[in-house]
Amino acid sequence: MRHLLRMAAHSARTNMHARNLAIVWAPNLLRSRDIEASGFNGTAAFMEVRVQSIVVEFILTHVEQLFGDAPLRGAGTAR
């Protein structure tokens, strides 16, 4: 999420602000097995993706409150 937040910081040049990033990344970050299993399409799939993007946008706009400012675990260490 912090990486996406860093990307959003460049939105003046890229037009990829939190909402656009959420729309693009939400289906991957919050994959719904219900949609995949039932073969949702059309309106049902659109509504599910809409909810996912709202959740991801909320997370992106509240990263510090949700995750604090501590470094990510494993950051800066070679594995």
Side-chain angles (χ1 to χ4, degrees), residues 1-9 21 59-60 63-73 75:
M1 287 298 152
R2 287 190 181 115
H3 174 69
L4 292 178
L5 188 61
R6 283 191 296 270
M7 291 175 63
L21 289 166
I59 293 170
L60 284 174
V63 167
E64 293 304 319
Q65 293 92 336
L66 294 170
F67 302 110
D69 60 357
L72 298 175
R73 186 173 11 155

Side-chain angles (χ1 to χ4, degrees), residues 10-56:
H10 299 284
S11 64
R13 289 185 308 216
T14 65
N15 199 34
M16 292 302 287
H17 44 79
R19 177 164 292 155
N20 284 347
L21 289 166
I23 290 168
V24 171
W25 283 97
N28 295 302
L29 295 172
L30 301 176
R31 174 173 260 152
S32 173
R33 291 187 182 187
D34 291 339
I35 289 177
E36 294 173 3
S38 66
F40 278 178
N41 56 29
T43 304
F46 175 77
M47 292 307 295
E48 183 74 18
V49 171
R50 174 93 172 112
V51 170
Q52 291 170 342
S53 68
I54 290 169
V55 170
V56 171

